Each structure stands twice: as C-alpha cells, then as structure tokens.
C-alpha cells in the first residue's frame, strides 16, 4: 500500500516528533512533510506511531498443538497488540531440534504468518535436557536457542551448549527452573498459598539455575538471556552480573509487574510458570526495569484451550495469553503511574530486543514499513471474548487499561486495523 501517515507523534531517532511518514512499496520512503499526490492519506492526528513492537517470547503452538493456537491466529493477535516481530518458542511437536523439524515450522510460518516470526531452536533433542541439538546446523535457521518450558538441569550440558552458542554467535535463552526444588508446587510459595492451602513454588527454583548459568556465561563468553524472571533474587543476580561485565540480558512479563500473589484468585487465569510472586518481588522487578537490569518486557504468550484453563489454580495448565494486552498493561501500570517514561517503555518493547536479537527495525527512510499506531488516551475494558488469539485466559480479564492499538502495518501492508 502506498500511503502517508499524517500528523502522528512518531518515535524517530530516539525522540518523539510530529512527522508524516510516507510508505511506498513496503518501505518507508520519507519522514517529514513530503506528501505525494495520489498516495492514500491516513489521518493519525492524536495518535502515536511506534516502530512495530518486538516480543522475544511467544508460544504459537504450531506445529503440534493447533487447537490451542495457530501461526495465523497468534500472529494476528500479535498484530492487534502492535507487534510486527516475535520469536516463537520451541515447545512444539515436533520440537525444532533438527534441520528437518525447524524447516517444517519455517514452512508453516511462510504460509500463514501475518508478521515477522523468528523461531527458536531447542538446546537439547526433544527438549529433554540430555543430548545437544546440532547447534552448528540450526544456527543458520534459528534466532536463538532455548528449551523453554524446561530448565536444562545438567550443568555440563548447559556448558557445552553455551560454548557452541559462543562459537556460532547465538543467544542461549534459558527457562531457569531447578526441578529438584519444585515439590509439586504450582503457585508462589507465599502468603496466598499459605492462606488457601496451595502447594508453593519457591523462588530458589528460579534463581539458583540463574546463578549457575551466569557463572557458565562468564566462563564461555556466551550471549545469555534469561526468560521471564519473577523473583527479587533473580534481579539482584543479573544486576551484579552486568556490573561484572557478563554478557547477559533478561525479560519479565506485564503480569509480574502488575500483580503480586495476594492479587490471585481461585482461577486458572492466574496460573503461569514462573508464578506471580510476592509484593517485594514485584517491587524488585520494577526497580530492575527502572535501573536497566531488566532489558525487555516480553509476554510469554501461552495459549491453552478453555477446558485446560478451567480447573482452578491446582489443576489448570500453566500459561496465560498476553500479546493483545501487553503494551496497554505496561503503559497503564508503568507509564500512567509515572514509574517510567514512554520513551523507556519503547526501549523495553522495541529498541532493546531489536538490538539484542537482531530483529525488527526503526522508523527511518529505506527500512521496511513496520509501524504501529496507538491512541494512548483510549481506555478500554479487557474482554477475552474479543481476543483474536484462541487463548482467552488472562489475569487482566475485566480490568480497565489505557492505550489501544489502532493500526499495525507490516512491510507496508495493514495487518490490523
């Protein structure tokens, strides 16, 4: 589509400026007052134009679990949330642990994805934590390596993986979970669990593997990324590691920044892994966001069927959806409250993941026209029935959020409006 976006406040060269953006043949042809006769004008007065947001932690469920989500529904949901680039996690069937398996996923992406999808390859065959995948061969096709959903329990296996990832200049993105410390827990081992007689997951099950991996990352020089941190100890470990010069980045999710365990309800929409933790953990995450310890906000968008999420806290499967509400939730809880600036939020949801994972692009002449438009003052009530995603389970159900996505453009084509 050849068009120009007129009158938006656009994020350009690390600043917000009023500018028209001309799009021609899928690319940004001009930034500034340079309207071309015959081009379709889109009035963006009062809206903000951001580079398409980037989420490095999304479960698309295809191949293998299409009843939960498909590449088509998941990427359309992402576009509705303002995203134009996402990294797809590898807990699929078949697991992308070989060239043949990742090709199957890439073929499906090429057919039905509405935005850019960059798949992870598994660290170990079948994500079983034992035998390394062919990191050399897979590094040509995968954005990074992860056994997400499973912690790599073996120190020697993780050391070997990191050494190879360093050799091929790839990121190891770790789901950090020590299985010996889980003891059947399914929510945070805190006050809510005690009051309601639930089995708890201790924070040590998260921070102890992070501690181990940081030592291995220092030893190997590998690019190390920690998925979905939730505990105050995790923040402190990563903060100190960065001071020591270890090549580490990390992410947390909107739900960990908005809720603490005393906000839980007896409902599967509050069950995810890692769990929503205590108030002091939430505060530590916010401090980590403010001081740069936490690099990114990612959703860990994890759709399940309605039946799988209908069994309460104890029986429901782990995982909630979030890609359609992520920016709104972060804007509402972090920017509207004065905790961080809008500029900082764009860094967390675009600039930092772009730099670290090498995907997405800025709004500048010659780049692909990957742009999203938001009305930051539009307030809406979260209604999962209106979600594009097949997954409907969200802790934000029924809550009022600010910032609604009005349009998302990928390679110059409108993919959400």
């Amino acid at each position: 589509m050849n068009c120009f976006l007129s009158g938006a406040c656009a994020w350009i060269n690390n600043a917000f400026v009023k500018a028209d953006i001309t799009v021609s043949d899928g690319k940004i042809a001009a930034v500034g007052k340079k309207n071309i006769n015959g081009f379709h004008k889109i009035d963006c007065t009062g809206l903000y134009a951001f580079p398409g947001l980037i989420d490095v932690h999304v479960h698309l469920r295809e191949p293998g679990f299409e009843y939960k989500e498909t590449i088509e529904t998941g990427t359309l949901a992402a576009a509705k949330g303002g995203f134009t680039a996402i990294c797809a996690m590898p807990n699929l069937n078949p697991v992308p642990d070989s060239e043949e398996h990742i090709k199957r996923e890439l073929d499906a992406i090429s057919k039905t994805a509405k935005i850019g999808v960059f798949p992870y390859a598994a660290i170990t065959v079948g994500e079983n934590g034992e035998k390394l995948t062919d990191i050399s061969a897979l590094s040509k096709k995968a954005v990074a390596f992860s056994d997400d959903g499973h912690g790599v329990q073996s120190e020697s296996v993780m050391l070997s993986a990191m050494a190879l990832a360093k050799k091929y200049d790839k990121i190891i993105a770790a789901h950090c979970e020590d299985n010996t410390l889980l003891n059947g827990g399914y929510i945070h081992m805190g006050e809510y669990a005690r009051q309601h007689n639930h089995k708890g997951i201790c924070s040590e099950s998260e921070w102890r593997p992070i501690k181990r991996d940081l030592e291995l990352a220092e030893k190997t020089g590998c690019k190390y990324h920690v998925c979905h941190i939730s505990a105050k100890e995790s923040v402190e470990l990563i903060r100190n590691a960065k001071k020591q010069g270890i090549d580490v980045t990390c992410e947390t999710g909107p739900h960990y920044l908005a809720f603490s365990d005393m906000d839980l309800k007896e409902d599967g929409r509050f069950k995810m892994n890692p769990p929503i933790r205590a108030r002091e953990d939430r505060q530590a995450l916010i401090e980590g966001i403010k001081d740069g310890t936490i690099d990114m906000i990612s959703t860990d968008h994890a759709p399940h069927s309605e039946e799988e999420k209908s069994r309460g806290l104890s029986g429901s499967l782990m995982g909630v959806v979030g890609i359609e509400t992520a920016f709104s939730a972060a804007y509402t809880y972090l920017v509207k409250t004065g905790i961080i600036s809008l500029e900082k939020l764009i860094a967390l949801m675009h600039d930092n993941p772009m730099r670290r994972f090498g995907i997405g692009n800025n709004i500048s002449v010659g780049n692909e026209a990957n742009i999203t438009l938001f009305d930051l003052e539009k307030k809406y009530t979260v209604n999962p029935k209106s979600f594009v995603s097949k997954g409907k389970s969200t802790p934000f159900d029924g809550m009022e959020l600010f910032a609604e996505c009005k349009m998302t453009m990928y390679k110059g084509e409108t993919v959400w409006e």
Side-chain angles (χ1 to χ4, degrees), residues 85-102:
I86 58 176
C87 298
M89 303 314 290
N91 35 357
L92 302 167
N93 185 19
V95 172
D97 56 6
S98 66
E99 287 185 276
E100 178 190 354
H101 290 167
I102 201 168

Side-chain angles (χ1 to χ4, degrees), residues 131-174:
K131 182 184 176 185
L132 283 183
T133 57
D134 187 347
I135 287 175
S136 169
L138 286 166
S139 65
K140 300 176 184 72
K141 296 179 171 66
V143 69
F145 288 83
S146 180
D147 269 7
D148 187 58
H150 309 274
V152 176
Q153 304 301 302
S154 165
E155 183 173 334
S156 63
V157 168
M158 184 58 102
L159 178 64
S160 299
M162 285 190 175
L164 283 166
K166 169 65 175 175
K167 180 178 178 181
Y168 296 104
D169 194 30
K170 285 291 177 179
I171 294 168
I172 292 288

